[in-house]
Amino acid sequence: MRVDTPGTSGYGWRMEDSERLRNEVARRAAQKPKSTPRLPGDALGKLVLGLAAAHGVDPDNLRYATDEELAAKERETHREREIRQAEIMTARIPLLYREATLPAIPAGAMAAKWLHQYRNGVRNPLAILGPTGTGKTWVALALARSLLVEDSTPVMFITAPDLLAELRPSGVIEHAGLELAQFKTTPILVIDDLGTEKLTTWGEEQFYRLANARAADRLPMIVTSNNTGPELRARYGDRIIGRMFGGATLIVMDGPDRRALPDGF
């Protein structure tokens, strides 16, 4: 900014010079961070400056994160971590399976393929069948954990006996239907050990209502069972099984029981 030298008009400072000065101070103040910027280390700083020069960027215009911004980002990251943990807890994933990952076996590869298809919009159910102790629950909850942590997809996990126990009428009128609604609407519902519950006419009705609502809204279930497919059809009937597993991916697991008991049992 040019200022006239002293002359006949005084020191050469005019009203418009004051206005320009105020505008220039305001402009530069707007470009500066509100607190001392946290600069990267020397090597990184030189790299940034070199890249800026290579792209014709004025180094004076480079903007680094301030202490306040870094602190806010750290709080945000911590909060997101808390939310993820809360989602895992809300999903009712037991402690044993909180770190579950898909095993490097054919069943794990099939589960990974189902997960890939789900992420690409193919929302079909998944049935994981096999004898006791072959790892069905582990695979199911490894999928649930991936959906929760990596995709932020709400998931609910419950065993078949506990599901009916929660749906059983409590006598509280204002709660009527709320229990079933949460299982109807969660994006992913994992039902473990289907077939171990005591099945009554009332229980059959609950499974039908649940399976029918989820099939209509294309909300898939991941279901594990010790029963075979034909055994499930004989137990629940085609009306329920067709809605629960129509279009499903089927994973059959076998092998010895991994829950080894001590000698003498």
Side-chain angles (χ1 to χ4, degrees):
M1 178 170 53
R2 177 178 176 276
V3 178
D4 294 338
T5 56
T8 56
S9 59
Y11 286 96
W13 194 267
R14 298 186 294 271
M15 291 295 293
E16 58 265 36
D17 295 327
S18 297
E19 184 65 25
R20 288 203 303 273
L21 179 60
R22 283 193 296 270
N23 291 339
E24 180 68 12
V25 169
R27 185 184 70 82
R28 295 189 182 185
Q31 290 181 341
K32 293 181 179 180
K34 295 182 179 180
S35 64
T36 303
R38 183 188 297 275
L39 298 176
D42 290 345
L44 181 58
K46 290 178 181 178
L47 176 62
V48 171
L49 292 175
L51 290 172
H55 290 82
V57 177
D58 184 354
D60 291 336
N61 292 332
L62 290 177
R63 174 85 157 69
Y64 298 104
T66 65
D67 291 341
E68 290 84 357
E69 289 170 334
L70 289 172
K73 184 61 178 177
E74 185 175 351
R75 288 194 298 270
E76 179 184 350
T77 301
H78 179 70
R79 177 59 180 159
E80 289 176 350
R81 192 180 303 115
E82 289 182 330
I83 291 173
R84 295 292 177 272
Q85 185 63 26
E87 288 172 340
I88 291 175
M89 295 293 289
T90 302
R92 309 180 187 191
I93 293 181
L95 182 62
L96 178 63
Y97 303 98
R98 295 271 168 86
E99 301 299 325
T101 57
L102 291 175
I105 58 175
M110 292 182 67
K113 182 178 179 181
W114 178 90
L115 180 60
H116 176 75
Q117 292 174 336
Y118 177 86
R119 287 169 170 166
N120 284 278
V122 181
R123 305 297 166 85
N124 291 331
L126 174 64
I128 308 176
L129 309 182
T132 300
T134 52
K136 302 182 299 296
T137 303
W138 184 274
V139 171
L141 290 181
L143 289 171
R145 182 178 178 276
S146 292
L147 288 164
L148 279 166
V149 176
E150 299 171 18
D151 300 67
S152 298
T153 298
V155 178
M156 291 192 69
F157 167 79
I158 194 166
T159 66
D162 286 341
L163 173 63
L164 291 185
E166 290 212 12
L167 297 180
R168 191 163 288 115
S170 62
V172 181
I173 296 177
E174 57 266 30
H175 292 170
L178 293 180
E179 291 83 357
L180 183 59
Q182 65 178 333
F183 297 113
K184 281 181 176 181
T185 58
T186 185
I188 294 287
L189 176 62
V190 180
I191 300 180
D192 195 34
D193 280 336
L194 183 69
T196 58
E197 76 287 346
K198 182 179 180 180
L199 191 62
T200 62
T201 301
W202 174 84
E204 287 183 0
E205 180 185 348
Q206 305 317 304
F207 279 123
Y208 173 80
R209 293 174 64 195
L210 177 61
N212 186 61
R214 295 189 65 83
D217 290 333
R218 298 193 60 80
L219 297 174
M221 289 189 284
I222 300 173
V223 180
T224 76
S225 178
N226 297 339
N227 296 121
T228 64
E231 288 172 341
L232 290 174
R233 292 183 67 179
R235 178 178 173 85
Y236 299 97
D238 290 342
R239 189 174 64 136
I240 293 176
I241 293 301
R243 288 168 171 81
M244 189 174 286
F245 297 115
T249 296
L250 173 61
I251 298 176
V252 178
M253 302 185 68
D254 55 16
D257 190 339
R258 301 180 186 182
R259 301 187 185 101
L261 294 174
D263 293 339
F265 279 79

